[in-house]
Amino acid sequence: MYRTLKRKGYLRGISTFRPYVARLKKAVPHEININRRIIQKVLWEDEPSNKPLLIKILDIHPFLKVLNELVRSFKNLFNEVTSKQDILSWCEQAERMNEAPLSSFATYIRGDIDAIRLGMTLPWSNGMVEGQVNRLKTIKRQMYGRAGLELLRIKILNVT
């Protein structure tokens, strides 16, 4: 905004311009600032307190109505009775939106649909394994260039 005004002949510096804009922002009542993070939170969470904000966002950005329905249907896939066909039909809906990130996500899901379905429906997780891998990588990074494999083995076996 400052550069545009400068091109149109504004003679003062940015240090004069910033406080003026700050005063204008305070004087003009404005609604809540709706950014990407807020939209993601409201679309993903089903909290009743978010309902008025969701309605407002969908009024401002009508194209998000389809995305909202798609997110809700994706969340519904995470139950024990989800079939391969349910996931494939969700992928088709996502691809119909003609959005590159959604299409690539749907393509990724189609690539290994059996593993995706099992990950969505089974109660087991590999979180414990991932935690150990993360711990080992952290130790390895700390030890890099300092000692040999013997000290690394001792450190891995002694740290719990």
Side-chain angles (χ1 to χ4, degrees):
M1 189 178 347
Y2 173 75
R3 282 186 236 127
T4 305
L5 284 175
K6 198 74 168 163
R7 275 186 251 123
K8 291 187 177 186
Y10 182 72
L11 299 176
R12 300 201 173 190
I14 196 162
S15 60
T16 308
F17 176 74
R18 283 188 179 146
Y20 178 73
V21 171
R23 276 192 313 251
L24 282 178
K25 283 184 177 180
K26 287 181 182 176
V28 176
H30 59 282
E31 303 272 337
I32 187 169
N33 184 17
I34 299 173
N35 58 28
R36 180 183 301 182
R37 188 175 47 89
I38 291 173
I39 291 173
Q40 286 174 341
K41 181 181 179 198
V42 169
L43 287 180
W44 187 254
E45 295 175 2
D46 285 331
E47 294 181 20
S49 61
N50 289 340
K51 195 72 170 166
L53 184 58
L54 176 64
I55 291 169
K56 183 177 182 178
I57 289 172
L58 295 179
D59 286 342
I60 295 171
H61 306 290
F63 66 92
L64 289 177
K65 289 180 183 173
V66 177
L67 182 63
N68 182 40
E69 293 170 12
L70 200 60
V71 167
R72 304 278 175 221
S73 63
F74 184 74
K75 284 179 69 174
N76 290 335
L77 292 176
F78 286 87
N79 61 40
E80 294 176 14
V81 293
T82 299
S83 69
K84 200 184 242 188
Q85 191 56 40
D86 294 335
I87 297 171
L88 288 174
S89 66
W90 184 89
C91 289
E92 289 171 9
Q93 289 176 342
E95 289 167 346
R96 270 188 252 126
M97 280 194 69
N98 291 329
E99 293 290 329
L102 274 175
S103 295
S104 66
F105 181 61
T107 304
Y108 175 77
I109 289 175
R110 283 178 190 265
D112 199 4
I113 194 158
D114 291 328
I116 299 289
R117 189 181 74 75
L118 291 175
M120 289 175 151
T121 57
L122 294 178
W124 301 299
S125 168
N126 66 341
M128 295 296 284
V129 173
E130 292 296 329
Q132 290 299 321
V133 169
N134 187 36
R135 182 181 71 84
L136 293 173
K137 284 183 177 181
T138 303
I139 293 170
K140 182 181 164 189
R141 284 187 203 107
Q142 289 172 347
M143 300 289 294
Y144 183 75
R146 295 185 186 196
L149 288 175
E150 278 306 310
L151 186 58
L152 180 62
R153 278 191 196 100
I154 292 169
K155 187 149 178 113
I156 287 173
L157 295 175
N158 289 336
V159 176
T160 56

